[in-house]
Amino acid sequence: MKTNIFLLVLFVCTATFAQKMKIVDGGFDFLKGQKEVNVEFVYDNMQLLKKNLPEAQYVEEHAAEMEEKSPGKGETWKKSWAAARELIRQPKFLELMNRYFYEDHGMAFKEGLSDAKYTLIVETVWLYPGWDAGVMKQPAKVTTNLKFVETANRDTVLAEVTSANAPGDQWGSSFSNEDRLGEGYAKTGKSFAKLIEKKAF
């Protein structure tokens, strides 16, 4: 009986946090034969939590809560949050993309490749950091818009994909919001790479 209840809870949690990836426009045939693809990460209009808070508001409110519990902790967290883009989220996404494409197709996805013919714009739309209380936890969720454009002409959109609620979790406990969100970006990269491979290679 306990096993059945556990499996039911597991199924409900899995269904709740299932990632949804949808091709909005275009295809991926243009990637064949490419050796490098430029990648840019955009956070301009990102929102957080079920309240859809702007990032600045979320950071100030969360830091204030942490400061009340332990002076100095909120300011330390602010620095970790700001650094997580370049140290955790973006590397996790790129790592998974390159794991599929560099080894199998000799194609590298990197930032700063201004001479690359195509650019992948990874726009973060919404984040939910999740939580971990030891015996119970809720995965992070990452929603992004993934758009391939011509590097020299950004108005030329070759493909656009929406990715909703990519789950971010780790085996065991993970008490870091930044690490859980990083796993959500890794999941996004993995699912996106598989979708491209399925459609174009």
Side-chain angles (χ1 to χ4, degrees), residues 126-172:
W126 182 77
L127 296 179
Y128 175 74
W131 49 267
D132 193 329
V135 293
M136 295 182 66
K137 60 182 178 178
Q138 194 171 75
K141 290 184 277 188
V142 176
T143 294
T144 53
N145 189 65
L146 307 154
K147 187 184 297 183
F148 282 106
V149 299
E150 289 185 358
T151 303
N153 183 8
R154 303 304 178 89
D155 292 333
T156 303
V157 178
L158 300 154
E160 184 172 357
V161 173
T162 56
S163 172
N165 298 329
D169 199 6
Q170 294 174 314
W171 180 254

Tab-separated table of all heavy atoms in Angstrom, residues 126-172:
chain	number	residue	atom	x	y	z
A	126	TRP	N	10.757	32.913	-17.499
A	126	TRP	CA	10.205	32.741	-16.144
A	126	TRP	C	11.024	31.711	-15.376
A	126	TRP	O	11.467	30.708	-15.956
A	126	TRP	CB	8.757	32.280	-16.240
A	126	TRP	CG	8.054	32.105	-14.919
A	126	TRP	CD1	7.566	33.089	-14.119
A	126	TRP	CD2	7.755	30.861	-14.267
A	126	TRP	NE1	6.980	32.537	-12.993
A	126	TRP	CE2	7.081	31.178	-13.067
A	126	TRP	CE3	7.991	29.524	-14.583
A	126	TRP	CZ2	6.629	30.202	-12.174
A	126	TRP	CZ3	7.561	28.547	-13.698
A	126	TRP	CH2	6.876	28.883	-12.510
A	127	LEU	N	11.231	31.991	-14.083
A	127	LEU	CA	11.964	31.072	-13.218
A	127	LEU	C	11.198	30.821	-11.926
A	127	LEU	O	10.572	31.726	-11.366
A	127	LEU	CB	13.339	31.642	-12.847
A	127	LEU	CG	14.364	31.865	-13.957
A	127	LEU	CD1	15.639	32.459	-13.369
A	127	LEU	CD2	14.668	30.569	-14.691
A	128	TYR	N	11.273	29.580	-11.472
A	128	TYR	CA	10.783	29.216	-10.152
A	128	TYR	C	11.910	28.452	-9.471
A	128	TYR	O	12.291	27.369	-9.942
A	128	TYR	CB	9.526	28.347	-10.270
A	128	TYR	CG	9.026	27.831	-8.938
A	128	TYR	CD1	8.381	28.680	-8.044
A	128	TYR	CD2	9.206	26.500	-8.585
A	128	TYR	CE1	7.918	28.214	-6.822
A	128	TYR	CE2	8.754	26.022	-7.362
A	128	TYR	CZ	8.111	26.883	-6.491
A	128	TYR	OH	7.658	26.418	-5.275
A	129	PRO	N	12.510	28.992	-8.402
A	129	PRO	CA	13.697	28.372	-7.810
A	129	PRO	C	13.459	27.029	-7.145
A	129	PRO	O	14.403	26.256	-6.940
A	129	PRO	CB	14.160	29.415	-6.776
A	129	PRO	CG	13.519	30.692	-7.200
A	129	PRO	CD	12.210	30.298	-7.797
A	130	GLY	N	12.200	26.726	-6.789
A	130	GLY	CA	11.938	25.491	-6.063
A	130	GLY	C	12.420	25.601	-4.622
A	130	GLY	O	12.818	26.662	-4.162
A	131	TRP	N	12.399	24.480	-3.897
A	131	TRP	CA	12.867	24.468	-2.516
A	131	TRP	C	13.225	23.046	-2.105
A	131	TRP	O	12.841	22.082	-2.758
A	131	TRP	CB	11.818	25.053	-1.561
A	131	TRP	CG	10.429	24.505	-1.735
A	131	TRP	CD1	9.432	25.026	-2.508
A	131	TRP	CD2	9.874	23.327	-1.117
A	131	TRP	NE1	8.296	24.262	-2.425
A	131	TRP	CE2	8.533	23.214	-1.568
A	131	TRP	CE3	10.360	22.374	-0.236
A	131	TRP	CZ2	7.691	22.178	-1.160
A	131	TRP	CZ3	9.527	21.334	0.171
A	131	TRP	CH2	8.200	21.255	-0.290
A	132	ASP	N	13.984	22.949	-1.041
A	132	ASP	CA	14.422	21.647	-0.535
A	132	ASP	C	14.429	21.709	0.991
A	132	ASP	O	15.182	22.470	1.592
A	132	ASP	CB	15.821	21.311	-1.057
A	132	ASP	CG	16.199	19.854	-0.816
A	132	ASP	OD1	15.724	19.280	0.186
A	132	ASP	OD2	16.959	19.295	-1.619
A	133	ALA	N	13.554	20.915	1.605
A	133	ALA	CA	13.466	20.865	3.065
A	133	ALA	C	13.970	19.539	3.609
A	133	ALA	O	13.593	19.109	4.697
A	133	ALA	CB	12.026	21.110	3.500
A	134	GLY	N	14.806	18.866	2.842
A	134	GLY	CA	15.359	17.592	3.284
A	134	GLY	C	14.452	16.425	2.940
A	134	GLY	O	14.669	15.721	1.950
A	135	VAL	N	13.405	16.205	3.732
A	135	VAL	CA	12.505	15.080	3.489
A	135	VAL	C	11.534	15.363	2.353
A	135	VAL	O	10.985	14.444	1.748
A	135	VAL	CB	11.709	14.715	4.764
A	135	VAL	CG1	12.644	14.170	5.829
A	135	VAL	CG2	10.954	15.925	5.303
A	136	MET	N	11.304	16.643	2.065
A	136	MET	CA	10.427	17.025	0.964
A	136	MET	C	11.094	18.128	0.161
A	136	MET	O	11.858	18.926	0.703
A	136	MET	CB	9.070	17.517	1.479
A	136	MET	CG	8.247	16.465	2.185
A	136	MET	SD	6.637	17.117	2.697
A	136	MET	CE	5.888	17.436	1.101
A	137	LYS	N	10.818	18.146	-1.122
A	137	LYS	CA	11.398	19.186	-1.966
A	137	LYS	C	10.560	19.401	-3.214
A	137	LYS	O	9.720	18.560	-3.569
A	137	LYS	CB	12.831	18.825	-2.365
A	137	LYS	CG	12.986	17.531	-3.143
A	137	LYS	CD	14.462	17.278	-3.429
A	137	LYS	CE	14.667	15.968	-4.173
A	137	LYS	NZ	16.090	15.749	-4.487
A	138	GLN	N	10.784	20.526	-3.858
A	138	GLN	CA	10.095	20.842	-5.108
A	138	GLN	C	11.137	21.338	-6.099
A	138	GLN	O	11.901	22.255	-5.792
A	138	GLN	CB	9.036	21.916	-4.855
A	138	GLN	CG	8.048	22.070	-5.992
A	138	GLN	CD	6.891	22.968	-5.614
A	138	GLN	OE1	7.050	24.183	-5.550
A	138	GLN	NE2	5.734	22.394	-5.343
A	139	PRO	N	11.196	20.739	-7.283
A	139	PRO	CA	12.220	21.139	-8.261
A	139	PRO	C	12.047	22.576	-8.730
A	139	PRO	O	10.954	23.140	-8.667
A	139	PRO	CB	11.983	20.167	-9.433
A	139	PRO	CG	11.172	19.046	-8.871
A	139	PRO	CD	10.348	19.653	-7.778
A	140	ALA	N	13.131	23.148	-9.186
A	140	ALA	CA	13.061	24.441	-9.859
A	140	ALA	C	12.371	24.257	-11.203
A	140	ALA	O	12.248	23.136	-11.705
A	140	ALA	CB	14.465	25.007	-10.049
A	141	LYS	N	11.920	25.351	-11.787
A	141	LYS	CA	11.332	25.305	-13.128
A	141	LYS	C	11.872	26.475	-13.941
A	141	LYS	O	11.980	27.596	-13.437
A	141	LYS	CB	9.802	25.374	-13.057
A	141	LYS	CG	9.165	24.119	-12.486
A	141	LYS	CD	7.664	24.178	-12.515
A	141	LYS	CE	7.116	24.923	-11.321
A	141	LYS	NZ	5.639	24.844	-11.224
A	142	VAL	N	12.198	26.187	-15.191
A	142	VAL	CA	12.804	27.186	-16.072
A	142	VAL	C	12.015	27.245	-17.378
A	142	VAL	O	11.853	26.229	-18.058
A	142	VAL	CB	14.280	26.838	-16.377
A	142	VAL	CG1	14.870	27.824	-17.377
A	142	VAL	CG2	15.107	26.826	-15.091
A	143	THR	N	11.537	28.425	-17.724
A	143	THR	CA	10.821	28.633	-18.981
A	143	THR	C	11.629	29.580	-19.861
A	143	THR	O	12.013	30.668	-19.420
A	143	THR	CB	9.416	29.205	-18.729
A	143	THR	OG1	8.631	28.226	-18.031
A	143	THR	CG2	8.721	29.545	-20.045
A	144	THR	N	11.901	29.155	-21.081
A	144	THR	CA	12.726	29.946	-21.995
A	144	THR	C	12.111	30.015	-23.382
A	144	THR	O	11.260	29.208	-23.745
A	144	THR	CB	14.142	29.343	-22.130
A	144	THR	OG1	14.024	27.952	-22.491
A	144	THR	CG2	14.933	29.460	-20.845
A	145	ASN	N	12.592	30.986	-24.141
A	145	ASN	CA	12.282	31.084	-25.564
A	145	ASN	C	13.608	30.941	-26.308
A	145	ASN	O	14.570	31.660	-26.021
A	145	ASN	CB	11.629	32.426	-25.888
A	145	ASN	CG	11.108	32.478	-27.305
A	145	ASN	OD1	10.199	31.743	-27.665
A	145	ASN	ND2	11.675	33.341	-28.126
A	146	LEU	N	13.683	29.998	-27.229
A	146	LEU	CA	14.926	29.665	-27.928
A	146	LEU	C	14.781	30.021	-29.403
A	146	LEU	O	13.922	29.472	-30.099
A	146	LEU	CB	15.224	28.164	-27.756
A	146	LEU	CG	15.232	27.697	-26.292
A	146	LEU	CD1	14.906	26.224	-26.194
A	146	LEU	CD2	16.581	27.982	-25.654
A	147	LYS	N	15.620	30.941	-29.856
A	147	LYS	CA	15.436	31.479	-31.204
A	147	LYS	C	16.756	31.495	-31.975
A	147	LYS	O	17.757	32.039	-31.507
A	147	LYS	CB	14.878	32.896	-31.108
A	147	LYS	CG	14.486	33.532	-32.420
A	147	LYS	CD	14.041	34.979	-32.217
A	147	LYS	CE	12.818	35.084	-31.356
A	147	LYS	NZ	12.357	36.496	-31.219
A	148	PHE	N	16.755	30.879	-33.156
A	148	PHE	CA	17.901	30.949	-34.064
A	148	PHE	C	17.693	32.107	-35.031
A	148	PHE	O	16.640	32.212	-35.668
A	148	PHE	CB	18.041	29.657	-34.877
A	148	PHE	CG	18.664	28.517	-34.120
A	148	PHE	CD1	17.891	27.461	-33.669
A	148	PHE	CD2	20.030	28.496	-33.863
A	148	PHE	CE1	18.469	26.394	-32.986
A	148	PHE	CE2	20.621	27.441	-33.181
A	148	PHE	CZ	19.832	26.401	-32.735
A	149	VAL	N	18.719	32.959	-35.155
A	149	VAL	CA	18.659	34.078	-36.091
A	149	VAL	C	19.964	34.136	-36.875
A	149	VAL	O	20.954	33.502	-36.513
A	149	VAL	CB	18.457	35.424	-35.358
A	149	VAL	CG1	17.152	35.430	-34.592
A	149	VAL	CG2	19.641	35.726	-34.433
A	150	GLU	N	19.950	34.899	-37.962
A	150	GLU	CA	21.195	35.184	-38.668
A	150	GLU	C	21.973	36.207	-37.849
A	150	GLU	O	21.422	37.233	-37.441
A	150	GLU	CB	20.901	35.732	-40.065
A	150	GLU	CG	20.348	34.697	-41.024
A	150	GLU	CD	20.177	35.250	-42.432
A	150	GLU	OE1	20.455	36.464	-42.627
A	150	GLU	OE2	19.766	34.491	-43.318
A	151	THR	N	23.241	35.926	-37.602
A	151	THR	CA	24.045	36.818	-36.767
A	151	THR	C	24.119	38.221	-37.355
A	151	THR	O	24.066	39.217	-36.621
A	151	THR	CB	25.465	36.248	-36.595
A	151	THR	OG1	25.374	34.929	-36.032
A	151	THR	CG2	26.311	37.120	-35.684
A	152	ALA	N	24.235	38.312	-38.666
A	152	ALA	CA	24.366	39.611	-39.327
A	152	ALA	C	23.030	40.321	-39.522
A	152	ALA	O	22.995	41.508	-39.834
A	152	ALA	CB	25.051	39.437	-40.682
A	153	ASN	N	21.931	39.600	-39.346
A	153	ASN	CA	20.605	40.182	-39.531
A	153	ASN	C	19.648	39.534	-38.539
A	153	ASN	O	19.026	38.518	-38.832
A	153	ASN	CB	20.125	39.975	-40.967
A	153	ASN	CG	18.774	40.622	-41.226
A	153	ASN	OD1	18.257	41.361	-40.384
A	153	ASN	ND2	18.189	40.336	-42.371
A	154	ARG	N	19.546	40.123	-37.374
A	154	ARG	CA	18.759	39.520	-36.290
A	154	ARG	C	17.275	39.457	-36.591
A	154	ARG	O	16.531	38.737	-35.910
A	154	ARG	CB	18.991	40.283	-34.980
A	154	ARG	CG	20.450	40.365	-34.538
A	154	ARG	CD	21.043	38.963	-34.423
A	154	ARG	NE	22.434	38.976	-34.043
A	154	ARG	CZ	22.876	38.961	-32.782
A	154	ARG	NH1	22.019	38.936	-31.791
A	154	ARG	NH2	24.164	38.951	-32.535
A	155	ASP	N	16.814	40.192	-37.574
A	155	ASP	CA	15.390	40.151	-37.932
A	155	ASP	C	15.028	38.878	-38.690
A	155	ASP	O	13.845	38.538	-38.813
A	155	ASP	CB	15.017	41.368	-38.784
A	155	ASP	CG	15.081	42.661	-37.985
A	155	ASP	OD1	14.894	42.599	-36.752
A	155	ASP	OD2	15.336	43.721	-38.585
A	156	THR	N	16.049	38.185	-39.206
A	156	THR	CA	15.800	36.933	-39.923
A	156	THR	C	15.796	35.779	-38.935
A	156	THR	O	16.843	35.284	-38.511
A	156	THR	CB	16.877	36.687	-40.998
A	156	THR	OG1	16.918	37.802	-41.892
A	156	THR	CG2	16.584	35.414	-41.777
A	157	VAL	N	14.592	35.355	-38.556
A	157	VAL	CA	14.425	34.261	-37.596
A	157	VAL	C	14.279	32.958	-38.368
A	157	VAL	O	13.385	32.805	-39.201
A	157	VAL	CB	13.190	34.493	-36.700
A	157	VAL	CG1	13.010	33.325	-35.734
A	157	VAL	CG2	13.324	35.805	-35.944
A	158	LEU	N	15.162	32.010	-38.098
A	158	LEU	CA	15.164	30.733	-38.807
A	158	LEU	C	14.380	29.653	-38.071
A	158	LEU	O	13.835	28.740	-38.696
A	158	LEU	CB	16.605	30.270	-39.005
A	158	LEU	CG	17.443	31.262	-39.831
A	158	LEU	CD1	18.903	31.132	-39.498
A	158	LEU	CD2	17.208	31.035	-41.309
A	159	ALA	N	14.338	29.744	-36.752
A	159	ALA	CA	13.585	28.774	-35.957
A	159	ALA	C	13.324	29.360	-34.581
A	159	ALA	O	14.150	30.091	-34.037
A	159	ALA	CB	14.343	27.462	-35.827
A	160	GLU	N	12.168	29.036	-34.031
A	160	GLU	CA	11.820	29.507	-32.691
A	160	GLU	C	11.128	28.385	-31.929
A	160	GLU	O	10.224	27.736	-32.446
A	160	GLU	CB	10.915	30.731	-32.769
A	160	GLU	CG	10.598	31.338	-31.417
A	160	GLU	CD	9.849	32.661	-31.519
A	160	GLU	OE1	9.632	33.121	-32.661
A	160	GLU	OE2	9.485	33.211	-30.463
A	161	VAL	N	11.571	28.171	-30.699
A	161	VAL	CA	11.048	27.089	-29.869
A	161	VAL	C	10.761	27.635	-28.469
A	161	VAL	O	11.562	28.392	-27.913
A	161	VAL	CB	12.056	25.928	-29.767
A	161	VAL	CG1	11.592	24.870	-28.762
A	161	VAL	CG2	12.272	25.284	-31.134
A	162	THR	N	9.614	27.255	-27.921
A	162	THR	CA	9.320	27.604	-26.534
A	162	THR	C	9.553	26.379	-25.661
A	162	THR	O	9.213	25.254	-26.040
A	162	THR	CB	7.870	28.075	-26.364
A	162	THR	OG1	6.977	27.057	-26.848
A	162	THR	CG2	7.630	29.361	-27.122
A	163	SER	N	10.146	26.602	-24.514
A	163	SER	CA	10.399	25.534	-23.551
A	163	SER	C	9.818	25.959	-22.216
A	163	SER	O	10.277	26.943	-21.623
A	163	SER	CB	11.904	25.271	-23.416
A	163	SER	OG	12.176	24.372	-22.351
A	164	ALA	N	8.808	25.236	-21.750
A	164	ALA	CA	8.119	25.623	-20.516
A	164	ALA	C	8.376	24.614	-19.405
A	164	ALA	O	8.304	23.398	-19.605
A	164	ALA	CB	6.614	25.731	-20.768
A	165	ASN	N	8.704	25.143	-18.225
A	165	ASN	CA	8.799	24.348	-16.997
A	165	ASN	C	9.835	23.234	-17.041
A	165	ASN	O	9.582	22.124	-16.569
A	165	ASN	CB	7.431	23.754	-16.639
A	165	ASN	CG	6.391	24.817	-16.372
A	165	ASN	OD1	6.717	25.901	-15.902
A	165	ASN	ND2	5.144	24.527	-16.706
A	166	ALA	N	11.006	23.522	-17.590
A	166	ALA	CA	12.086	22.529	-17.536
A	166	ALA	C	12.466	22.317	-16.075
A	166	ALA	O	12.814	23.273	-15.377
A	166	ALA	CB	13.296	23.018	-18.329
A	167	PRO	N	12.387	21.085	-15.569
A	167	PRO	CA	12.622	20.860	-14.139
A	167	PRO	C	14.097	20.893	-13.783
A	167	PRO	O	14.947	20.423	-14.529
A	167	PRO	CB	12.038	19.461	-13.921
A	167	PRO	CG	12.182	18.789	-15.253
A	167	PRO	CD	12.009	19.866	-16.287
A	168	GLY	N	14.381	21.465	-12.623
A	168	GLY	CA	15.750	21.519	-12.136
A	168	GLY	C	15.854	20.859	-10.775
A	168	GLY	O	15.273	21.327	-9.796
A	169	ASP	N	16.563	19.735	-10.720
A	169	ASP	CA	16.701	19.001	-9.465
A	169	ASP	C	17.991	18.198	-9.509
A	169	ASP	O	18.576	17.991	-10.574
A	169	ASP	CB	15.502	18.068	-9.264
A	169	ASP	CG	15.343	17.638	-7.812
A	169	ASP	OD1	16.086	18.161	-6.960
A	169	ASP	OD2	14.490	16.786	-7.554
A	170	GLN	N	18.437	17.744	-8.357
A	170	GLN	CA	19.625	16.916	-8.262
A	170	GLN	C	19.325	15.713	-7.399
A	170	GLN	O	18.424	15.736	-6.565
A	170	GLN	CB	20.791	17.719	-7.644
A	170	GLN	CG	21.278	18.856	-8.516
A	170	GLN	CD	22.319	19.695	-7.820
A	170	GLN	OE1	22.163	20.062	-6.673
A	170	GLN	NE2	23.400	20.000	-8.521
A	171	TRP	N	20.124	14.659	-7.581
A	171	TRP	CA	19.957	13.475	-6.747
A	171	TRP	C	20.347	13.839	-5.311
A	171	TRP	O	21.332	14.513	-5.084
A	171	TRP	CB	20.834	12.341	-7.255
A	171	TRP	CG	20.702	11.101	-6.425
A	171	TRP	CD1	21.590	10.598	-5.527
A	171	TRP	CD2	19.594	10.197	-6.418
A	171	TRP	NE1	21.119	9.452	-4.948
A	171	TRP	CE2	19.890	9.179	-5.484
A	171	TRP	CE3	18.378	10.170	-7.102
A	171	TRP	CZ2	19.010	8.126	-5.218
A	171	TRP	CZ3	17.505	9.110	-6.834
A	171	TRP	CH2	17.827	8.109	-5.911
A	172	GLY	N	19.543	13.406	-4.349
A	172	GLY	CA	19.806	13.785	-2.973
A	172	GLY	C	19.265	15.174	-2.711
A	172	GLY	O	18.339	15.632	-3.365
